[in-house]
């Protein structure tokens, strides 16, 4: 008799229901797993055999055939151990009901205990969408699985606990209060605070605008001018995650195995720093079965590239499509996976190889050729996708000496950023976006309307500075954010001139 148990397999940050079919035939003792399993799934044969025996149950004496259906979908990971074991136990007559509304996920130890697995949140989401009413997961994954509303979650420590649940000792359901994890961290203390950054008012204002609208930023200046410090302070003014953003981000970190059992929900916007020796696959993602890279781990947060001009040009060029589309498609011979990648790109660089081009104190020693070669690593199309460029000059002696003078704190800046983000959330509640930086061309026409005077100004600017369609649209989106920070309903000429000023440095 063929028995079935239900589980799921991840596809990107989504998942698909999988039926685990088990049959025992009269033949030499053996376990065969079919249905495009990877090495981890194939190795389940020995784990499952030992786990069943060491849990006090008998193992079939014939040949066990396990089919993972649909058979044309590649299966990977160790979450198939438990459903395979359950299917075999059903075949042996153990009292586990043949119910397609019950799902099983988990890796088995040789002694029958369950270990946590990666990707439980998207797996449980997929099972719920497929009509599954309850799911058994390792106890370490129970809180993460319980984030999915509308499905009963049972956290178990041992294979025997699953069997006992259906016989004499039911396992308690796991439930959590999302509000306990998803909190507004307005009063969170950050290591880096803008109150500790002296001077650089223009750069701070630009970073505030970037945080308010989710815009990309490039800072250029001599060594020691505060570029890296301000980039680190940017995390302290980012608004808290919306629930929808938090769940999507948690799925990403779940499939990467980066979640803590005690903190199943990601509640802080990610801040990812990438070294200039990083590879394309490390940034974009990759592998035989593509896994997320840094741009996906920075989703709804910040990706910081320090010494941006030191990155190989071919590595920087792979950022162009994700910056434009907010997602990345990784294609391989056997699969093609799409991952979200709506992140703020923040770059910092020196103006030349020696770092002192245009400095007030030290003279640049670079040749024109060296400067041109250094800057050429940032191509025109990549710069076209950066909304704000900031020149960060050396601090004057009087600014450096102002030890006792305290600048505006990150908490005050963050209040303005949150206020602007709430305006955008209300405006775009039916559009499926959260920030001005996500506006497409159709939405720009609807939400970035200009009066006659402003239209004439933008026409003149487009002619004078040879604005492309993309540049023109990004100026309007930036002006929309500046208007939101000011609490203005309409975009004015002042907002446009301010936004254009940040674009001019890019084009010069």
């Amino acid at each position: 008799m063929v028995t079935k148990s239900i589980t799921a397999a991840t596809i990107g940050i989504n998942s698909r229901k999988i039926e685990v079919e088990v049959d025992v035939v009269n033949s030499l003792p053996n376990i065969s797993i079919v249905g495009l399993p990877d090495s981890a799934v194939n190795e389940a044969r020995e784990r499952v055999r030992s786990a069943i025996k060491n849990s006090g149950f008998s193992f079939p004496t014939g040949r066990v055939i396990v089919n993972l259906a649909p058979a044309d979908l590649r299966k990977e990971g160790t979450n198939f151990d438990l459903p395979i074991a359950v299917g075999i136990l059903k075949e042996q007559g153990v009292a586990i009901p043949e119910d397609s509304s019950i799902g099983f996920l988990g890796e088995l130890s040789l002694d029958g205990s369950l270990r946590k697995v990666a990707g439980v949140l998207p797996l449980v989401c997929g099972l719920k969408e497929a009509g599954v009413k309850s799911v058994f997961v390792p106890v370490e994954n129970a809180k993460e699985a319980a984030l999915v509303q509308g499905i009963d979650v049972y956290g178990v420590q041992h294979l025997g606990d699953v069997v006992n649940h259906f016989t004499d000792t039911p396992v308690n359901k796991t439930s959590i209060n999302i509000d306990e994890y998803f909190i507004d961290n307005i009063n969170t203390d950050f290591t880096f605070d803008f109150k500790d950054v002296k001077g650089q008012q223009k750069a701070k204002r630009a970073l505030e605008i970037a945080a308010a609208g989710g815009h990309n930023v490039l800072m250029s200046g001599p060594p020691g001018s505060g570029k890296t410090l301000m980039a680190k302070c940017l995390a302290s003014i980012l608004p808290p995650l919306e629930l929808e953003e938090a769940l999507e981000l948690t799925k990403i970190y779940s499939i990467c195995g980066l979640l803590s059992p005690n903190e199943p929900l990601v509640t802080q916007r990610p801040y990812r720093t990438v070294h200039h020796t990083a590879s394309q696959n490390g940034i974009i993602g990759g592998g035989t079965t593509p896994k997320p890279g840094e741009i996906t781990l920075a989703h709804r947060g910040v990706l910081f590239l320090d010494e941006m001009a030191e990155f190989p040009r071919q590595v920087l060029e792979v950022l162009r499509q994700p910056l434009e589309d907010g997602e990345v498609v990784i294609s391989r011979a056997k699969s093609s996976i799409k991952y979200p990648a709506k992140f703020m790109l923040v770059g910092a660089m020196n103006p030349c190889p020696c770092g002192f081009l245009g400095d007030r104190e030290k003279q640049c020693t670079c040749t024109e050729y060296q400067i041109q070669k250094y800057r050429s690593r940032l191509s025109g199309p990549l710069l076209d996708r950066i909304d704000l460029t900031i020149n960060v000059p050396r601090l004057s002696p009087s600014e450096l000496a102002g030890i006792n003078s305290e600048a505006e704190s990150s908490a005050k800046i963050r209040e303005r950023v949150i206020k602007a983000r709430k305006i955008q959330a209300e405006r775009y509640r039916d559009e499926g976006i959260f920030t001005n930086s996500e506006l497409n061309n159709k939405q720009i026409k609807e939400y970035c309307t200009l009066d006659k005077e402003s239209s004439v100004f933008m026409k003149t600017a487009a002619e004078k500075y040879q604005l492309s369609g993309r540049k023109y649209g990004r100026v309007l989106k930036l002006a929309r954010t500046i208007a939101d920070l000011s609490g203005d309903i309409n975009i004015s000429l002042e907002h446009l001139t301010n936004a254009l000023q940040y674009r001019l440095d890019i084009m010069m």
Side-chain angles (χ1 to χ4, degrees), residues 358-484:
D359 188 66
R360 294 176 294 193
E361 303 294 333
K362 292 189 177 182
Q363 187 172 355
C364 175
T365 59
C366 303
T367 65
E368 187 67 29
Y369 172 75
Q370 289 174 321
I371 296 172
Q372 183 63 30
K373 183 179 179 181
Y374 180 78
R375 291 184 172 183
S376 67
R377 294 183 183 177
L378 275 63
S379 67
L382 178 61
L383 290 174
D384 213 24
R385 290 164 170 80
I386 295 176
D387 303 309
L388 301 98
T389 273
I390 316 166
N391 290 318
V392 185
R394 176 195 296 270
L395 291 175
S396 65
S398 60
E399 289 174 317
L400 287 172
I403 299 175
N404 296 324
S405 61
E406 189 172 283
E408 188 177 29
S409 68
S410 291
K412 292 183 178 179
I413 300 174
R414 194 184 191 204
E415 288 178 4
R416 296 195 294 268
V417 170
I418 292 174
K419 185 178 179 181
R421 283 286 185 108
K422 287 181 178 178
I423 292 173
Q424 295 168 60
E426 177 64 23
R427 182 190 298 134
Y428 307 132
R429 65 182 183 277
D430 298 325
E431 298 287 353
I433 61 175
F434 294 95
T435 62
N436 293 323
S437 63
E438 300 174 65
L439 292 170
N440 57 35
N441 291 334
K442 180 180 178 181
Q443 292 165 339
I444 289 174
K445 292 180 180 179
E446 181 177 355
Y447 297 109
C448 299
T449 56
L450 304 177
D451 57 28
K452 186 175 180 180
E453 182 183 14
S454 298
S455 297
V456 171
F457 171 79
M458 284 303 297
K459 181 180 179 181
T460 304
E463 293 174 351
K464 181 176 181 180
Y465 299 111
Q466 299 179 340
L467 297 180
S468 65
R470 180 186 290 120
K471 292 176 183 177
Y472 190 95
R474 287 186 175 270
V475 170
L476 291 180
K477 289 190 284 187
L478 194 58
R480 179 68 270 173
T481 299
I482 296 171
D484 290 339

Side-chain angles (χ1 to χ4, degrees), residues 13 216 248-249 252-253 255-256 258 269-275 278-286 290-305 308 311 314-332 337-346 382 385:
I13 64 169
N216 304 318
E248 186 178 28
L249 194 57
I252 295 169
Y253 278 71
I255 63 176
C256 294
L258 299 177
R269 292 188 183 272
Y271 183 92
R272 308 288 299 186
T273 301
V274 181
H275 194 264
S279 66
Q280 292 185 39
N281 285 349
I283 293 177
I284 294 297
K291 293 297 183 182
E294 288 293 333
I295 63 171
T296 300
L297 293 173
H299 182 60
R300 299 297 180 186
V302 174
L303 179 69
F304 177 47
L305 305 184
M308 190 170 175
F311 282 76
Q314 64 269 24
V315 173
L316 294 176
E317 289 302 294
V318 299
L319 295 173
R320 286 163 53 178
Q321 181 262 333
L323 285 173
E324 189 71 19
D325 300 335
E327 61 185 22
V328 58
V329 179
I330 307 172
S331 298
R332 296 292 182 267
I337 301 294
K338 181 187 294 184
Y339 288 115
K342 293 181 179 178
F343 60 95
M344 287 174 56
L345 176 65
V346 178
L382 178 61
R385 290 164 170 80

Side-chain angles (χ1 to χ4, degrees), residues 8 10 12-15 105 117-129 135 137 141-149 151 153 176 178 243-256 259 264-266:
T10 54
I13 64 169
N14 300 308
S15 65
L105 303 165
V117 293
V120 163
L121 180 59
L123 289 171
V124 175
C125 286
L127 288 174
K128 179 193 172 184
E129 292 172 0
V135 61
V137 300
N141 292 122
K143 290 183 178 179
E144 178 188 344
L147 291 172
V148 183
Q149 304 297 306
I151 186 171
V153 175
I176 66 170
I178 292 182
L243 178 58
E244 184 181 343
E245 294 177 303
L247 290 173
E248 186 178 28
L249 194 57
T250 302
K251 285 185 179 181
I252 295 169
Y253 278 71
S254 177
I255 63 176
C256 294
L259 289 181
L265 184 67
V266 177

Side-chain angles (χ1 to χ4, degrees), residues 51-128:
I52 290 177
K53 288 184 176 180
N54 292 326
S55 297
F57 303 105
S58 61
F59 195 84
T61 56
R63 182 185 180 192
V64 179
I65 303 173
V66 179
N67 179 42
L68 307 177
D72 61 344
L73 178 67
R74 186 162 185 81
K75 323 298 187 307
E76 63 170 1
T78 56
N79 61 285
F80 296 94
D81 290 10
L82 181 58
I84 291 174
V86 167
I88 293 174
L89 290 176
K90 288 181 182 180
E91 182 70 26
Q92 290 295 96
V94 176
I96 300 177
E98 192 78 19
D99 191 344
S100 61
S101 68
I102 304 175
F104 301 91
L105 303 165
E107 176 186 337
L108 286 170
S109 300
L110 297 184
D111 62 358
S113 59
L114 283 166
R115 290 196 175 103
K116 65 178 292 188
V117 293
V120 163
L121 180 59
L123 289 171
V124 175
C125 286
L127 288 174
K128 179 193 172 184

